[in-house]
Amino acid sequence: MRDFRQLAVWNKSHLLTLDVYRATASFPQSEQYSLTSQIRRSSSSIPSNIAEGCGRDGNAELTRFIHIAMGSASELEYQLLLAHELFYLNDGDFDKLAGQVVEVKKMLTGFVGRLKAER
């Protein structure tokens, strides 16, 4: 069992989630239960799955949850693109959030590699 708060990838994904919540606060009211909700769920799913995996027994279980987090990050990456193309996210917010997602995905990939090396 690991303390997820000690993982750089968890911290980075948590900050991403906070930034996503701030950026989506200005989305149209008509999107509250659709795209806004989807973006927030996929972003919060990343650190949530990291935390859940850390509470599981062994690296195999943790690796499985890191892969789920990666799927959520890819989902978020698309949803941000959609929000940008619908003009809900300005260029600056989109570039910042998209860059954060790419960084988190790289960190998740590296973390999986380290977990596999520990086996």
Side-chain angles (χ1 to χ4, degrees), residues 13 16 41-51 69 72-73 76 104 108:
S13 62
L16 168 61
R41 276 195 322 268
S42 61
S43 68
S44 65
S45 178
I46 302 165
S48 295
N49 276 292
I50 295 168
S72 295
L76 175 60
V104 165
L108 289 168

Side-chain angles (χ1 to χ4, degrees), residues 7-28:
L7 296 175
V9 68
W10 179 86
N11 282 290
K12 187 70 73 172
S13 62
H14 175 66
L15 293 175
L16 168 61
T17 300
L18 293 173
D19 287 343
V20 162
Y21 268 73
R22 290 180 193 109
T24 58
S26 62
F27 278 22

